[in-house]
Amino acid sequence: MENLSIAIDGGHSMFKVRAASLASPDKRFSSHIPTVVMPAIVLTNEQTRQKAELETVELDGRRYFFGETALRQGRSEVYTGQNADWIESPQHDALVLGAWRKAMQAFGNPPARVHLVMGLPAKFVGPQRDTLRSRIEHLLTPRLLPGQTLRVMVQSQADAPLQWLSIQSNGSPHPQRDLDNEAWGVIEIGHYTTDFALSDRGAMMEYAAVSCAGMHLVYDGMSSALAQAKLPTSLDVVEAAVHSGGIKHFGERVDVSHLLRQAKAGFEAVVMDEANRVFGQKAAALDGIIVGGGGADLLLNGLKQRYPNAVSSDEPRMIVAEGFCRLGLLSLLQS
């Protein structure tokens, strides 16, 4: 039987899932699940119903649509769980269960051991770590097959980019990285929060483990700007506007990049101010500042102008999930 590392970056706009088996540790399963949940409804179209079954879970006798199915069928205006304590909601449970099922189905043989790694915003790790771990164990343990074991690890989301840096894709420590003798900053730009971290010669600086507002500021600003321009403001439209600078309107592409620049400006100022407060003059002495998260593409150029030592991965939106996946593989190797 296989040994499996599953990483879930439970973002407030997208659940990013990455999994790998010790049998082929350099191969990855990846999935992006929009953070939208709704009660399941009766679907009359057979083909639509069959597709929806793949994104339907049952919890406590109730059925829920999640991901793309919930986004389409619910005509959502906002993402699910835009509050601090949403990890204790059935909607969060539904997304975790959906992510778990997608990862498990991606591998042919049922794993003997599963190490599951999840994250929390830096400011919530202290008060919510034990709650999240307990809730995930309670949710998933009854769904294990006979002989399977599950270990749940909960980390700060801002730690994941450091794990991406210091652990190779196969789960072994990176031979060219020695965090005990290096100093690295982290800016992880999520939807609900932007998280910061600072590792200085192997020690995490407590004053740097902070969070400020996330990409929801851009989404809120974009939604308001589209409404004022008498353009659609549904969630999929706002998502397209934020990530491409354009939307479809009556079959034509409308350039809204000028509205995006306006919505982005305030958020960029918030992140820059917090980064300056966290790193200050020490930024120039760091080996680098790792920038990741769903908002990395939007702010990376500006951050590189401010911090020439800023770096990112080829997939900045997946850097948290990838870092956690590598940590899970390392944990499997060491246990």
Side-chain angles (χ1 to χ4, degrees):
M1 297 179 78
E2 297 185 82
N3 297 305
L4 194 61
S5 168
I6 300 177
I8 301 176
D9 175 12
H12 288 252
S13 66
M14 192 78 69
F15 262 49
K16 281 81 69 179
V17 187
R18 185 151 278 184
S21 166
L22 273 186
S24 51
D26 287 315
K27 294 181 180 180
R28 293 290 186 270
F29 163 77
S30 297
S31 181
H32 296 76
I33 305 172
T35 306
V36 184
V37 178
M38 63 172 283
I41 59 175
V42 176
L43 301 175
T44 56
N45 181 273
E46 178 65 23
Q47 185 177 10
T48 302
R49 185 165 63 248
Q50 290 177 359
K51 289 182 179 179
E53 281 298 320
L54 300 175
E55 293 189 321
T56 304
V57 294
E58 184 170 328
L59 288 165
D60 299 325
R62 297 189 65 185
R63 285 165 56 84
Y64 295 90
F65 290 156
F66 68 91
E68 291 287 348
T69 297
L71 182 63
R72 300 287 178 262
Q73 297 295 338
R75 296 181 295 178
S76 300
E77 296 291 329
V78 295
Y79 288 109
T80 299
Q82 300 301 303
N83 54 285
D85 59 355
W86 86 297
I87 64 164
E88 299 182 65
S89 69
Q91 289 80 16
H92 188 271
D93 290 346
L95 285 159
V96 170
L97 188 55
W100 166 268
R101 194 173 71 182
K102 283 178 179 285
M104 296 292 277
Q105 290 176 345
F107 294 84
N109 298 318
R113 295 186 298 154
V114 180
H115 285 197
L116 172 65
V117 188
M118 292 191 65
L120 285 167
K123 66 179 181 180
F124 297 143
V125 172
Q128 293 186 351
R129 186 201 302 267
D130 292 342
T131 299
L132 179 58
R133 183 190 297 112
S134 176
R135 193 171 183 98
I136 299 305
E137 289 173 346
H138 180 76
L139 176 68
L140 297 180
T141 298
R143 292 171 169 84
L144 296 176
L145 298 174
Q148 283 186 325
T149 62
L150 171 67
R151 179 186 180 192
V152 178
M153 294 176 279
V154 178
Q155 307 280 309
S156 168
Q157 288 168 186
D159 289 350
L162 294 169
Q163 290 149 0
W164 164 80
L165 181 75
S166 60
I167 304 172
Q168 296 184 100
S169 62
N170 63 6
S172 61
H174 200 298
Q176 297 177 342
R177 290 264 74 92
D178 181 10
L179 296 190
D180 287 340
N181 291 294
E182 300 175 17
W184 287 86
V186 172
I187 304 175
E188 201 277 316
I189 307 166
H191 187 82
Y192 190 61
T193 61
T194 297
D195 296 320
F196 296 82
L198 178 58
S199 172
D200 190 355
R201 290 181 293 278
M204 299 301 296
M205 299 295 99
E206 193 64 29
Y207 68 82
V210 297
S211 304
C212 68
M215 281 283 289
H216 67 88
L217 290 184
V218 181
Y219 281 73
D220 293 346
M222 200 69 204
S223 181
S224 297
L226 290 171
Q228 291 177 9
K230 300 189 184 308
L231 292 168
T233 59
S234 62
L235 187 52
D236 54 345
V237 171
V238 175
E239 177 82 15
V242 170
H243 287 285
S244 71
I247 65 171
K248 284 184 179 180
H249 190 52
F250 292 113
E252 300 290 333
R253 186 183 188 278
V254 178
D255 185 354
V256 294
S257 56
H258 61 294
L259 301 179
L260 178 58
R261 285 193 294 272
Q262 296 170 12
K264 168 188 167 184
F267 175 55
E268 187 170 37
V270 168
V271 174
M272 290 292 188
D273 287 349
E274 190 68 7
N276 184 60
R277 190 188 71 78
V278 171
F279 302 127
Q281 294 184 349
K282 190 176 180 63
L286 297 175
D287 290 275
I289 297 174
I290 311 169
V291 182
D297 288 338
L298 201 63
L299 299 191
L300 187 57
N301 288 337
L303 286 167
K304 282 187 173 181
Q305 290 177 12
R306 173 79 66 88
Y307 305 112
N309 56 349
V311 299
S312 192
S313 73
D314 293 336
E315 299 177 282
R317 196 172 195 179
M318 291 296 286
I319 198 170
V320 170
E322 176 61 25
F324 285 163
C325 185
R326 296 183 184 195
L327 177 64
L329 287 171
L330 176 63
S331 176
L332 285 167
L333 286 170
Q334 292 178 340
S335 62

